[in-house]
């Protein structure tokens, strides 16, 4: 039997096929086999092989609803800033404020600027009103990984209540150190200009920021019981400490960039271990969660995508697999084609701004898992990789748009959701790159 025939036969025997194009229309009966795949795992990590694709966002919402209603899941965890996400969770619990504004500021990397995010969070609010809340968490470093400022600001807000003299000290010393950040925060590429502004700082200024953030973090950790004894809500104390730790991780992430030109040692993925630490923090509060992030973050094996990433980097999934064992199930995604929503700076764009466009995706490379699955089956389907035939396990990796992320497929993922065709997310970002 040919490789393609072997894959087709295996898919016919094992794949869970979804007849409906729209995930909202997929009935629970078609999803029920996933319950055996998930078992008692506390974390189900769903990857997306391309950001800002409608189908992956729609499947995120459908799987969350199913897991909440049928498997006792109580929270969604996103590849988005932990600190910023507090405001989204606040809206879910209270309904206070403009939801679109909350999503704009509360979901980083511009991931909240779409109808898919709004519809999902409205469903979460409806659950809260019914007395069956589903919590919203970001797990990532703040400010789209461009600065520690939002995390420091969160700490200062807490200290204004718990330790006003120290809050005044940080307001006078640490907060002004972020005056290098560009004032314009509206552009799609603003993270790039913020990082550039940090890298342009003299070494002594960068080191002073590092020292101040380290001092702040250790002071909060040392005074945690003091704050609680004085009447601070223990959960507010815990959030402030986590925010401070993420400020420190962000600072280390950026400092590592400044070392890049002269570094003689292997790189370290500081951002992903920070996200894994946040997930572990969340699991002290939630029994079961759906985690949603890029394939390259959730995979169990180190990330490798030459020539962009030529040294293997540990991922969120790498760390969680070591810590959680059987309590983690990882579902990667693949696709057969479609259209991608992208953006790049044009000659007329001001610094930090970028122009969106839609691009037709080429057929996936035949030696990738996307290509193997697209050739072996049609439609959208889920498959457990247990017992997968050699053409599957020998695939070179998975696509992220036109690029290929190399992977040992069987080691990286427990299952795969294959989407036949992708389309752009339903965004509020107009053709000029402005939020409308």
């Amino acid at each position: 039997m040919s490789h393609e025939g072997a894959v087709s036969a295996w898919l016919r025997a094992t794949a869970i096929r979804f007849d409906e194009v729209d995930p909202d229309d997929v009935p629970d009966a078609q999803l029920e086999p996933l319950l055996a795949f998930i078992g008692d795992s506390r974390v189900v990590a769903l990857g997306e092989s391309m950001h800002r694709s409608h189908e992956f966002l729609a499947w995120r919402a459908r799987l969350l609803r199913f897991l909440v209603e049928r498997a006792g899941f109580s929270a969604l965890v996103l590849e988005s800033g932990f600190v910023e996400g507090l405001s989204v969770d606040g809206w879910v619990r209270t309904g206070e404020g403009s939801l679109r504004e909350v999503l704009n500021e509360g979901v980083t990397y511009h991931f909240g600027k779409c109808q898919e995010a709004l519809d999902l969070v409205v469903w979460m609010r409806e659950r809260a009103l019914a007395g069956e809340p589903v919590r919203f968490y970001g797990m990532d470093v703040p400010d789209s990984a461009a600065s520690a400022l939002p995390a420091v600001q969160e700490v200062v807000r807490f200290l204004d209540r718990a330790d006003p003299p120290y809050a005044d000290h940080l307001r006078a010393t640490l907060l002004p150190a972020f005056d290098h950040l560009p004032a314009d925060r509206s552009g799609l590429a603003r993270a790039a200009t913020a990082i550039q502004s940090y890298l342009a700082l003299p070494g002594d200024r960068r080191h002073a920021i590092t020292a101040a953030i380290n001092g702040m973090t250790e002071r909060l950790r040392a005074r945690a019981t003091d704050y609680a004894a004085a009447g601070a809500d223990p959960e507010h104390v815990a959030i402030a400490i986590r925010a401070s730790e993420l400020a420190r991780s962000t600072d280390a992430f950026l400092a590592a960039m400044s070392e890049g030109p002269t570094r003689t040692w292997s790189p370290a993925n500081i951002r992903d271990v920070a996200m894994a630490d946040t997930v572990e923090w969340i699991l002290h509060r939630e029994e079961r969660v759906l985690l949603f992030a890029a394939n390259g973050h959730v995979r169990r094996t180190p990330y490798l995508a030459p020539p962009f990433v030529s040294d293997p980097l540990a991922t969120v999934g790498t760390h969680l697999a070591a810590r959680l064992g059987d309590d983690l199930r990882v579902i990667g995604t693949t696709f057969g084609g479609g259209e991608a929503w992208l953006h790049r700076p044009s000659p007329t764009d001001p610094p930090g701004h970028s122009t969106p466009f839609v691009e037709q995706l080429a057929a996936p490379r035949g030696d990738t898992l996307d290509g193997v699955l697209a050739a072996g089956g049609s439609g959208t389907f889920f498959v457990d990789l247990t017992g997968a035939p050699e053409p599957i396990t020998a695939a070179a990796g998975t696509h992220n748009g036109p690029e290929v992320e190399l992977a040992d497929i069987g080691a990286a993922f427990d299952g795969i959701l294959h989407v036949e065709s992708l389309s752009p997310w339903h965004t509020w970002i107009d053709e000029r790159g402005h939020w409308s």
Side-chain angles (χ1 to χ4, degrees), residues 132-344:
E132 301 172 320
V134 178
R135 300 297 298 271
F136 180 102
Y137 294 95
M139 64 175 174
D140 211 341
V141 296
D143 208 17
S144 302
S147 87
L149 178 58
V152 175
Q153 291 171 326
E154 178 65 25
V155 171
V156 171
R157 283 190 290 270
F158 166 78
L159 293 171
D160 279 334
R161 303 186 303 273
D163 193 349
Y166 189 55
D168 290 342
H169 168 71
L170 293 178
R171 192 172 279 109
T173 59
L174 180 53
L175 286 179
F178 294 98
D179 62 0
H180 65 90
L181 292 172
D184 183 1
R185 296 178 53 85
S186 63
L188 283 172
R190 70 167 185 81
T193 54
I195 292 171
Q196 290 163 4
S197 73
Y198 169 84
L199 295 176
L201 291 175
D204 58 346
R205 280 200 60 186
R206 288 188 277 105
H207 298 156
I209 293 172
T210 297
I213 290 175
N214 284 339
M216 175 187 73
T217 303
E218 291 308 315
R219 178 180 168 83
L220 259 69
R221 283 163 40 83
R223 297 213 65 203
T225 55
D226 299 330
Y227 295 145
D233 185 327
E235 188 65 2
H236 293 168
V237 177
I239 289 170
I241 292 173
R242 186 72 204 123
S244 191
E245 290 168 339
L246 284 164
R248 183 164 61 186
S249 295
T250 311
D251 180 72
F253 172 77
L254 294 169
M257 292 186 187
S258 70
E259 298 165 344
T262 58
R263 186 179 63 224
T264 58
W265 52 92
S266 299
N269 194 348
I270 294 169
R271 180 183 162 210
D272 274 49
V273 73
M275 288 195 279
D277 290 345
T278 306
V279 174
E280 197 165 17
W281 186 93
I282 293 167
L283 288 175
H284 287 292
R285 292 151 177 82
E286 308 293 339
E287 187 58 32
R288 310 187 80 181
V289 305
L290 175 65
L291 187 160
F292 183 76
N295 273 355
H297 291 303
V298 304
R299 56 189 275 176
R300 293 173 172 271
T301 56
Y303 184 80
L304 190 61
F308 307 105
V309 178
S310 53
D311 291 309
L313 294 174
T315 65
V316 177
T318 305
H319 292 289
L320 292 182
R323 301 177 194 184
L324 301 179
D326 292 340
D327 271 336
L328 173 69
R329 295 295 265 169
V330 178
I331 301 172
T333 54
T334 55
F335 59 90
E339 292 182 329
W341 191 97
L342 305 169
H343 64 94
R344 70 168 64 98

Side-chain angles (χ1 to χ4, degrees), residues 17 32 49 163 174 199 385 416 435:
R17 297 188 175 277
E32 282 176 358
S49 48
D163 193 349
L174 180 53
L199 295 176
L385 290 176
I416 293 291
W435 180 53

Side-chain angles (χ1 to χ4, degrees), residues 330-409:
V330 178
I331 301 172
T333 54
T334 55
F335 59 90
E339 292 182 329
W341 191 97
L342 305 169
H343 64 94
R344 70 168 64 98
S346 75
T348 58
D349 285 327
H353 288 258
S354 194
T355 299
F357 62 98
V358 173
E359 183 173 271
Q360 188 73 30
L361 290 164
R365 227 172 68 184
D367 64 337
T368 64
L369 184 60
D370 304 70
V372 171
L373 291 177
S378 60
T380 294
F381 53 85
F382 169 82
V383 65
D384 184 336
L385 290 176
T386 303
E390 190 268 342
I392 297 287
T393 58
T398 58
H399 270 272
N400 181 347
E403 311 302 333
V404 174
E405 300 170 344
L406 301 180
D408 177 340
I409 296 299

Side-chain angles (χ1 to χ4, degrees), residues 54-135:
H54 168 72
E55 286 70 23
F56 295 142
L57 299 175
W59 273 107
R60 173 184 72 181
R62 183 65 186 97
L63 286 178
L64 179 66
R65 293 199 306 272
F66 177 75
L67 294 175
V68 166
E69 293 164 359
R70 299 296 302 277
F73 280 59
S74 61
L76 173 67
V77 182
L78 295 188
E79 179 189 343
S80 179
F82 167 80
V83 167
E84 291 89 343
L86 297 171
S87 65
V88 182
D89 187 64
W91 189 90
V92 169
R93 289 183 287 106
T94 69
E96 295 176 0
S98 163
L99 177 53
R100 280 182 53 152
E101 292 287 349
V102 168
L103 290 173
N104 180 45
E105 296 297 329
V107 185
T108 55
Y109 306 102
H110 304 284
F111 291 161
K113 296 180 172 74
C114 63
Q115 189 66 36
E116 293 91 345
L118 186 146
D119 291 342
L120 176 63
V121 172
V122 166
W123 175 82
M124 296 171 76
R125 173 65 182 151
E126 291 169 351
R127 293 281 304 192
L129 288 170
E132 301 172 320
V134 178
R135 300 297 298 271

